Amino acid sequence: MGHGVPELVLQLNGQTWSLDPARSYTVGRDPQGDIGLDDARVSWRHAILRWNGHGWTLEDLGSTNGTWAHGQRVHEIPIGPGSTVHLGNATDGPRLDFAAPVPVHAAPAYAAPEHPATAPHPGHPAPQHSAPASEWPQPHPAPAGGRNPTSFHQLAVGRVLSIGRALENDLVVADLQVSRRHAELRIHPDGRYEIVDLGSHNRTYVNGKPVRRALIGPGDTVGVGHSTFRLVGDRLEEFVDTGEVTFSARRLTVQVPHGNTTKTILKDVSFGVPEKSLIGVIGPSGSGKSTLLRALTGYRPADHGQVLYDNRDLYQHFAELRQRIGLVPQDDILHKELTIRRALKYAAKLRFPDDTAAAERQARIDEVLRELKLDVHADKRITALSGGQRKRVSVALELLTKPSLIFLDEPTSGLDPGMDRDVMQLLRGLADDGRTVLVVTHSVAELALCDRLLVMAPGGSVAYFGPPDEALAFFGYDTWADVFQAFENYRDYDWAGRWHGSHHYRTYAADLDAAATVPTPPAPVAPPQAEPRMARSWGSQLRTLIARYLSVIASDRGFMGLMLVLPAVLGVVSVVIPADSGLGFGPARVRLWNKDAGTILMILTVGMCFSGAANSVRELIKERVIYERERAVGLSRSAYLMSKVVVLGLITAVQGVIICAIGFAPRAMPAEGVLLHNEPAVEMTLVVIGIGFTSMMIGLVISSLVKTAEKTMPLLVMFAIVQVVFTGILFQLYDKPGLEQVAWLMPSRWALAGLATTAQLNILMPYDPAHPDTLWKHSAGIWCLDLAVLLSLGVACGFAVARLLRRHEPEVMRGG
C-alpha cells in the first residue's frame, strides 16, 4: 500500500470510514463514540476495532445482544477485506462491511456538505463519502425516535395475542409496570386489529391516550409499560425503551397574566441532548429555571413550543410517557417518619400492578438500594439520614420504575461541598448507566461533570448552551460569580441575542429552532387526558395509602400523644363548669340538665370543633410535594383524599368518645333520648363525633388552601372562635334575618342543635318559651335533620377539597 493509504475501509449505513492503524475505534450507540449506530439492539459501547500489529480485530465489549459472524456469536474475530459482521442480531442487525482501501486517485469527487450533526469530531474517523439521503434504505418511520425495532411478532387472521408480564402470554413484556395479563390484540376475520385492555394497573395506550379498547391500524402506536408496538403489514414491531433516549425542547415560551396584559417568563428556550447525558441548568433568580423544569416535565406545559421525548410530543403523550419520567423536587418526596425500606415498599405498591408479587417488588427495591449504595442504611428512619443520603432516597424512589429521564430541582441545596460533589457524582453515574439526567442547581462547583450546560438569563431566555468547560470563555469572565454579577448589572442587555449570534448556537441549537419554525398550537389547547376508571386499582391504592398513613402516624409518637391528650383536656374543661350541687361520681353525681347545660354542651361542641380541625389542618400542606409527584405518576385523587378521610375520621371518632366519656361521666344523663330512647349518652356522642368529622373536613379545606404550614394555625384559631359565636348559646340565632342564614353554614349551629334536642334545651333555657327554636325541638325527626345537615356540610367540604387538590397536579391531568 502506498504512503497515506489506510489499511482498511468500513462501510455502514451508506457511510464509509477509512480506519487508521495508529488508533482504535469504538462502535455503539454512544454519540460520543467513534462509529455511532442508532439501533436499540446495539449496546451503548458494543465493540471495539483495533490493529494488533498483525491485522485488524473486532472485539465485543460484553454487549447485550452480541456480535455475530457467519451466524455465530463471537467475542473476538479477525477482520479483513471482505469480512461482514452483524451487531445485535445474526440476520438483520446492523451490518458492518469491510473492504480494501480505494486508491487516492479513484476517490469520488462528491463531498457532502458538512452539518453540525454529522461533522466529524476531533479524534473521530471522518466519513469519506455520504450518499444522498434519498439513496439510503428508507425504513418505515419508527415511534421511538427513528430507532429500529427491538423485535418482530408475526400475526395471523383470527388469532388473539395476549400481552403481559407473565411468561404464558404470547407477547411477554418483562416490565414490572405491566400487569401479568395486561392486554389482548385481537385480529378479526375481516382484517381489523383491536387492542383491548384487560383492567391493567398502568393502562394501555393508543397514540399516547389511555384506552379500554380501540381499533388500530398502520401508523398507530400501542404503549404497554416501556414497550411500544406498531403494525407493519402482517407483523407487529416492538420497540423497547431501554432508557437511552434523546430529549429536546423547541422554542418553549410561557406567559402569565400581568395586569391587563401578559408577561413572558420563559422565552424561546431551545436545546437538545443526546442519550446518556447529564445536563446542568443554572441562572440567577428570576431567570425561569423552575418554570422551565415544569414545562419540561409537563407539570405546567409551555404556552408555545414543544417538548420531545425521543421525537414524541410529551404534552400530547403525557399520560403514557409520565411513567418514564422521574422528578425529584427540591423538597423531599418522602415521609420522613418511615424507614427507607418501608417508604420504598409503599411507593412500589402504588406504582406497580396489583398482581406484582411481594418478592418481585422487594427484588426491585433491593436492586435500587444497592445501585445507590443505600442498602446498609435500608432500615434507618429517613429523619436519621444526612441531607445527601435523603436526596439519594428521593432518587431511589424515582428509580423504582426505571425512568429514562430524571429531572432534579436543586438537589444540592443546603448541602456542604462534600455532599454537593457526592450528589453530582451520583447523577453522573445515573447518566452513564443509560439515562438522561437534567439538574437545576445553584451550585457551580461540579459543573464539569455535566455533558452540557444550559445558562438562563434574566427574563427567561437562553444565554448559553453547550459544553460546560467552554461556558466561561463564552461569557468572557473568569468565574461564575462574575457572570451572575454581569446578569444583575446589565439586565437590559440582549443576552439571548448574543447567544443566537454565536457559533455555539449554530452548533447546538439552531437546527432545533429551525425545526420549530412551523407554528405549533399552544399545549393547553390539547384536551385533558381523562383516565379510565380502574376499580381494582383504586381499591388497591386506597388500601396502600391507608396502610402508609397509619404507619406514618404510628411512627410519630408526639402526634399520637397529642391526639389522646387534646380531647382529654377539653373533656376535663367541660367538667369544671359548676352545676347544682358540685361534682362527684356514683350516687353523688350532679344533674347535667340545668341552666348551665347550654354552656357545658357549647364547650363540648367547640372543643370537638377544634380537635377535629387540628387533626387535619396540616395534613395536605405538609404532603403537597409528595401528592404532586405521586399524582403525576398515576395516583388517584379520590383514593388519596379518601385515605385521609378514613384514617382521620377514625381518629376523630375515638377523640369524640374520649371527650364525651370524660364530659358525661360525672353527670346524670337526660331521662331518654329522641332516637335511642335508652341511650341518650350514645345519641349525644354521635352528634359530637359528627361535629368532629365536619370540622376535620374543614381542616382539610384549610390545608388545601394555604401555601405554607405556618398559616394553618391562625386560621384554625379563627375557625374555632367563629364556631363559639354561632352555637346559638351566647345569643339567639333563630328569627334573626341574615344572621340565621349565616348560621346555617356553621357546623357548630347544627351540632349544638342536635345535642339540644336530646337535652331538651328548649325547656331548660328557652329564649322565648312561646316560640322556641325549631332546631332544638325534642323529636327524632329534628335530631336526624340536625345530624344530616351537619354531615352534609362535611361531605360538601370533601368535594371542595377534591377540587382544590387539582391545583397541585400537572395541568394536562386536571380533567381526570
Side-chain angles (χ1 to χ4, degrees), residues 308-323:
L308 299 181
Y309 176 106
D310 240 21
N311 290 334
R312 298 177 67 184
D313 190 302
L314 175 64
Y315 300 155
Q316 297 296 327
H317 297 85
F318 182 79
E320 177 185 353
L321 296 179
R322 65 184 179 181
Q323 301 287 352

Side-chain angles (χ1 to χ4, degrees), residues 340-393:
I340 297 176
R341 192 183 302 278
R342 186 174 289 273
L344 295 182
K345 183 190 77 170
Y346 288 126
K349 281 188 174 182
L350 288 173
R351 300 191 182 192
F352 293 148
D354 302 346
D355 57 18
T356 306
E360 293 179 287
R361 291 194 299 267
Q362 191 58 54
R364 179 57 188 155
I365 291 171
D366 291 341
E367 182 181 354
V368 170
L369 290 174
R370 287 193 298 271
E371 181 179 0
L372 298 183
K373 298 180 175 61
L374 287 170
D375 46 337
V376 295
H377 306 291
D379 296 316
K380 291 182 181 179
R381 285 193 181 185
I382 297 172
T383 51
L385 303 177
S386 66
Q389 290 171 335
R390 284 201 302 271
K391 196 59 62 178
R392 282 178 176 264
V393 179

Side-chain angles (χ1 to χ4, degrees), residues 94-119:
R95 175 173 166 172
L96 281 62
D97 292 308
F98 298 90
V102 179
V104 175
H105 61 78
Y110 170 82
E114 185 177 288
H115 185 278
T118 58

